[in-house]
Amino acid sequence: MSHSEAELVETSANETPASEIAGQGSGAEWLSRYSSSLMGVFGTPQRVLVRGAGCLVWDADGKEYLDLLGGIAVNAMGHAHPFVTSVIASQLATLGHVSNFFTSPTQIALAEKLLALAKAPAGSKVFFANSGTEANEAAFKLARRNGEAGKRSKIIALEGAFHGRTMGALALTAKEAYRAPFEPLPGGVVHIPFGDIDALRAAVDDTTAAVFLEPIQGEAGVRPLGTDYLQAAREATTAAGALLILDEVQTGIGRTGKWLASEDAGIVPDAITLAKGLGGGFPVGALITFGEAASSLLSAGQHGTTFGGNPVATAAALATLHAIESQGVLENVRTVGAFLRDGLAAVDGVTEVRGEGLLIGFDLDTDVAPAVVQAGLDAGFIINSPGPRTIRLAPPLILSTEQAGRFIAALPALIQTAKDAK
Ligand code: PLP
């Protein structure tokens, strides 16, 4: 028996929250179902989260948390931001997906907006992906297209680099534990010491296709590269005819109190990759290529994606950028970030504080960072430990001074609890 379109639509046309379709349960019940239905690549999730508002989230047992990780630098405008939410919903209710045989006004407007924010010169272009690793995958292909085939086989990345988990991005990622199980990875990538300008100058030569850099290494514990290094990289790559590709997946979109962390270096790279904060929680990635030469390296048919740049994703990003711009968020990031870093530096047991804006890493005097994360959860704070003695914070960019102060006040007890448990 067949149905008319109206009948099929009608059966689902009521206002049903997703939680009604997914069902209800306690945290423990959900986690038991998780472990029997989801692949174990992430280990056991710390909590089952069901709701968010601004910088707060709630778990399935009703416990409230101050989210100081923001989905790992993603939820730029916090959770359930009314403007971002309504733009996404209205775009979805108007036109949700069309494939890249077609385009849409939000896709074009977002590309133009990103080129303007990046102060990209004439001839610059954008490619939309769905994640950071995909944006870097596109950048990897761009690098391969630089120079005559085979003659520029070397791609340079840094020790400590994290560029993603798909095969090309994984080849750029330094961590042995992530790479080794998947060898052979795409070839030609060499990793040079972090922050060593002489090593960079020695490595970049006329066989180099590209240099990939994160202005601040996030996964390595929030390690800033510095403007001198970025400028030296621009000089060396220009002289050698290599591309300079900046991975601003974690540092971009206001995270450091500027649209791009690399702004202060005053350089024009050949490409920048973005994701994380761009969609304000909706999956969007982007590759920006600077100038005609870089932008023409990938031609028709050489790359593609079904979802990349879809109307809802690009509407989400437009809404996020608009909200950041119209609500003075970059200034908030600078103010609250400075307050947070100063406060953390004064806490007993904290030996170093790094980062810019609201991308902050701090080291402890003992290897108790994972236990501090656990103590934080018990006390209602979501934080992250990228290393045994390093804590990372990447909260929503709308974090208030009061909320930052609450964490600073709680931290000594969290460190003590972690040390007592050791
Ligand atoms: N590049 C950087 C600098 C990142 O921090 C990340 C993720 O943490 C990625 C790339 C990969 O992004 P995604 O997880 O969206 O694939």
Side-chain angles (χ1 to χ4, degrees), residues 29-199:
E29 286 161 354
W30 280 120
L31 284 180
S32 150
R33 288 169 62 182
Y34 178 100
S35 63
S36 43
S37 59
L38 279 115
M39 241 187 222
V41 293
F42 299 107
T44 304
Q46 293 168 327
R47 295 289 190 272
V48 180
L49 299 178
V50 295
R51 187 165 70 85
C55 296
L56 300 177
V57 290
W58 288 266
D59 72 16
D61 301 314
K63 187 175 165 66
E64 179 182 298
Y65 302 85
L66 179 61
D67 183 2
L68 293 164
L69 190 58
I72 319 185
V74 167
N75 298 299
M77 291 305 296
H79 298 274
H81 187 273
F83 175 71
V84 176
T85 306
S86 79
V87 171
I88 293 171
S90 82
Q91 182 59 50
L92 188 56
T94 306
L95 184 68
H97 179 80
V98 292
S99 94
N100 283 307
F101 290 131
F102 305 92
T103 186
S104 62
T106 53
Q107 183 182 75
I108 297 163
L110 179 62
E112 290 170 349
K113 183 77 188 163
L114 289 178
L115 293 174
L117 292 179
K119 300 186 179 71
S124 302
K125 298 282 167 62
V126 176
F127 171 82
F128 287 119
N130 309 288
S131 64
T133 202
E134 280 181 65
N136 285 331
E137 210 63 37
F140 196 107
K141 286 175 84 170
L142 192 79
R144 280 279 199 261
R145 296 290 305 151
N146 182 32
E148 286 172 60
K151 290 230 175 103
R152 289 185 180 271
S153 53
K154 183 162 48 168
I155 295 178
I156 296 171
L158 298 191
E159 288 173 3
F162 185 86
H163 295 290
R165 305 278 202 150
T166 52
M167 293 303 262
L170 186 57
L172 299 167
T173 292
K175 197 170 176 174
E176 206 43 38
Y178 294 165
R179 301 166 55 88
F182 305 102
E183 301 279 1
L185 296 169
V189 180
V190 296
H191 289 94
I192 62 171
F194 177 86
D196 182 339
I197 291 178
D198 291 337

